[in-house]
């Protein structure tokens, strides 16, 4: 009887290990098969966001000319995507920037700046703000006010902090996070321009 119990326990353990190994192989294979399509889909989403925020049409592939700039005393990085006209001149830059100060945590956006630092548009890529309040940062009623602003030529803060940006009622934290992300992108453009 003891031999049969040992045999059954050994068989069960062997079956369990076999199932675990088989499952790991299947999951690993699926991961490898989907890795490239997921990466390509992300690139396409970012390229579409670039198209939405830069000024005018561009003839290059900004995604292929990406520059990564360290910001926030080396604790973070943003990606800059230059948009060039038919003569190869950079007309604007899309910047994938972020703020960790949203009410729901990290907010990521694609920011379009002209070469002099003037804001064209932004598009929120990722956010976890409160529905109906903080999520209004994605709406044009809020985002349109930034068109034509230049953070280097104004007090670029929300009005509650002594600045010139209208915050969303009951969503000042989310509004501040947008200003923070835009400022980070603007600073990265200046860093690239000055070579610091």
């Amino acid at each position: 009887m003891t031999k049969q119990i040992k045999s059954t326990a050994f068989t069960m353990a062997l079956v369990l290990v076999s199932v675990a190994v088989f499952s790991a192989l299947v999951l690993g294979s699926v991961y490898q098969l989907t890795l490239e399509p997921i990466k390509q889909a992300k690139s396409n989403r970012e390229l579409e966001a670039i198209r939405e925020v830069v000024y005018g049409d561009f003839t290059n592939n900004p995604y292929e000319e990406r520059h990564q700039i360290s910001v926030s005393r080396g604790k973070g990085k943003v990606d800059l995507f230059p948009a060039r006209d038919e003569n190869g001149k950079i007309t604007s830059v899309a910047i994938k920037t972020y703020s960790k100060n949203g009410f729901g945590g990290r907010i990521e956006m694609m920011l379009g700046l002209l070469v002099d630092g003037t804001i064209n548009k932004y598009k929120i890529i990722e956010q976890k703000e409160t529905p109906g309040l903080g999520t209004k940062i994605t709406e044009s009623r809020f985002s349109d006010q930034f068109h034509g602003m230049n953070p280097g030529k104004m007090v670029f803060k929300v009005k509650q902090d002594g600045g010139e940006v209208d915050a969303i009622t009951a969503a000042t934290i989310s509004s501040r996070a947008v200003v923070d992300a835009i400022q980070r992108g603007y600073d990265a453009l200046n860093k690239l321009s000055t070579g610091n």
Side-chain angles (χ1 to χ4, degrees):
M1 186 115 180
T2 308
K3 271 188 174 181
Q4 188 177 7
I5 291 173
K6 283 184 183 178
S7 175
T8 305
F10 176 76
T11 304
M12 286 175 25
L14 185 62
V15 169
L16 185 61
V17 168
S18 299
V19 168
V21 168
F22 178 74
S23 298
L25 288 172
V26 170
L27 285 173
S29 299
V30 169
Y31 174 76
Q32 289 300 321
L33 287 171
T34 59
L35 187 62
E36 193 55 39
I38 289 170
K39 187 177 175 183
Q40 186 61 46
K42 183 179 180 189
S43 297
N44 290 342
R45 278 195 314 274
E46 287 185 355
L47 192 55
E48 186 57 37
I50 291 167
R51 278 191 189 95
E52 288 183 40
V53 301
V54 296
Y55 176 77
D57 294 327
F58 50 88
T59 57
N60 65 320
N61 182 345
Y63 201 77
E64 292 175 356
E65 294 187 42
R66 177 180 65 202
H67 297 281
Q68 200 168 65
I69 304 287
S70 292
V71 293
S72 302
R73 296 175 197 76
K75 293 182 180 177
K77 296 181 189 249
V78 298
D79 293 325
L80 284 77
F81 306 90
R84 300 178 184 273
D85 65 14
E86 62 276 354
N87 299 318
K89 183 180 176 187
I90 296 175
T91 57
S92 60
V93 177
I95 303 171
K96 185 178 175 188
T97 183
Y98 66 93
S99 175
K100 295 180 180 178
N101 300 327
F103 188 76
R106 186 178 174 100
I107 294 173
E108 287 187 11
M109 71 166 63
M110 192 67 75
L111 170 66
L113 295 176
L114 303 181
V115 290
D116 70 352
T118 301
I119 300 167
N120 187 48
K121 292 181 184 176
Y122 75 77
K123 178 176 176 70
I124 301 293
I125 298 171
E126 184 179 316
Q127 55 87 16
K128 296 176 184 138
E129 300 304 281
T130 307
L133 291 174
T135 55
K136 290 181 181 179
I137 61 174
T138 64
E139 296 176 5
S140 62
R141 286 191 327 194
F142 177 69
S143 65
D144 285 352
Q145 72 176 311
F146 293 95
H147 179 77
M149 287 183 175
N150 187 318
K153 296 179 179 177
M154 61 184 290
V155 181
F156 194 66
K157 297 178 180 177
V158 295
K159 288 183 178 175
Q160 290 87 331
D161 299 334
E164 300 175 44
V165 176
D166 289 321
I168 299 167
T169 303
T172 306
I173 293 172
S174 302
S175 304
R176 284 182 181 126
V178 168
V179 169
D180 178 50
I182 292 172
Q183 185 69 55
R184 181 173 281 105
Y186 176 82
D187 293 344
L189 179 64
N190 280 341
K191 190 172 183 180
L192 180 68
S193 300
T194 59
N196 291 330

